[in-house]
Amino acid sequence: GAVVSQHPSWVICKSGTSVKIECRSLDFQATTMFWYRQFPKQSLMLMATSNEGSKATYEQGVEKDKFLINHASLTLSTLTVTSAHPEDSSFYICSANKPGADTQYFGPGTRLTVL
Amino acid sequence: GNSVTQMEGPVTLSEEAFLTINCTYTATGYPSLFWYVQYPGEGLQLLLKATKADDKGSNKGFEATYRKETTSFHLEKGSVQVSDSAVYFCALSTGGFKTIFGAGTRLFVKA
């Protein structure tokens, strides 16, 4: 099956700093990737759709200036949490479309803790 | 808008018990329906899917049937194992692969 990786798997940072999370499709090219946020014991909430070579599409209520998404290649999308605060602590998960497949492939997630 | 509603958990069962996790959806058009599973400390994995009405998805002893008339996609397994303990998410997807997830149902299976 298709493989999607995320790096780092967990990160702890100080309030006010920025954190970059990478999402890679390892064995296929993905023109579209998705970023989700999952709070403890809750469901995944779609944050944005990342399109290779163009601007990301953000869901209502998601601050685009705070959650910067860059999809610079067909195998890599990055999410940067700028000026992170404790309320940004969460589990961030990406997924990618594999061409020809009718489902998404999910990364293992990145746990962000902001102190 | 599109939405997914699934039964609240946690669900606690003894090994070899029958499992049902209810899921209903609201959607315009004809969505594809999915069940994802999240084991402790891991990411989501696709468990099964159905892309049109009356399709039955099945995998690892789990199955779910796409019921358009009742807008449901209930997950069932005849005999659960301790290793099935996880969180199960019902989801739907329309064109463009934008996926809407239910709140998740945590399953505990006791030996």
Side-chain angles (χ1 to χ4, degrees):
Chain A
V3 178
V4 175
S5 70
Q6 283 184 240
H7 177 79
S9 56
W10 59 271
V11 56
I12 301 173
C13 69
K14 293 182 178 180
S15 186
T17 61
S18 295
V19 174
K20 180 185 285 188
I21 302 170
E22 294 184 349
C23 176
R24 293 182 185 272
S25 55
L26 298 184
D27 55 355
F28 64 98
Q29 294 183 328
T31 55
T32 304
M33 292 183 173
F34 301 89
W35 286 96
Y36 295 86
R37 183 172 181 178
Q38 185 182 27
F39 291 101
K41 299 184 179 180
Q42 294 187 31
S43 188
L44 282 73
M45 299 300 296
L46 179 65
M47 299 175 66
T49 302
S50 172
N51 302 296
E52 188 270 336
S54 64
K55 291 183 179 180
T57 305
Y58 290 82
E59 295 301 299
Q60 191 173 7
V62 177
E63 299 176 60
K64 59 182 66 177
D65 294 332
K66 180 163 186 66
F67 298 100
L68 300 179
I69 291 172
N70 185 7
H71 195 154
S73 78
L74 287 171
T75 59
L76 172 64
S77 176
T78 60
L79 168 68
T80 301
V81 184
T82 63
S83 186
H85 290 93
E87 58 266 30
D88 298 324
S89 299
S90 190
F91 196 52
Y92 292 88
I93 301 172
C94 74
S95 70
N97 287 354
K98 181 177 181 181
D102 61 355
T103 186
Q104 299 175 52
Y105 294 90
F106 286 83
T110 297
R111 185 163 302 284
L112 169 64
T113 301
V114 184
L115 302 177
Chain B
N2 297 339
S3 66
V4 175
T5 303
Q6 60 183 104
M7 61 187 290
E8 290 189 22
V11 173
T12 302
L13 296 173
S14 297
E15 210 165 22
E16 299 183 3
F18 184 86
L19 168 72
T20 299
I21 300 178
N22 290 338
C23 171
T24 57
Y25 67 91
T26 302
T28 54
Y30 302 96
S32 294
L33 301 175
F34 306 87
W35 276 100
Y36 286 89
V37 58
Q38 186 177 33
Y39 297 103
E42 299 184 16
L44 267 71
Q45 301 174 29
L46 177 65
L47 180 60
L48 55 84
K49 65 183 180 186
T51 57
K52 61 183 187 297
D54 300 325
D55 269 2
K56 178 185 284 188
S58 61
N59 185 26
K60 299 181 182 179
F62 291 90
E63 59 182 34
T65 301
Y66 190 145
R67 300 288 187 200
K68 192 172 186 297
E69 64 276 13
T70 54
T71 61
S72 65
F73 193 55
H74 305 321
L75 181 68
E76 297 181 336
K77 186 174 185 181
S79 176
V80 294
Q81 305 299 313
V82 172
S83 57
D84 293 327
S85 297
V87 181
Y88 292 83
F89 293 94
C90 185
L92 69 82
S93 176
T94 55
F97 296 98
K98 188 172 175 178
T99 302
I100 307 298
F101 289 87
T105 302
R106 187 172 296 273
L107 170 66
F108 292 104
V109 181
K110 303 180 297 184

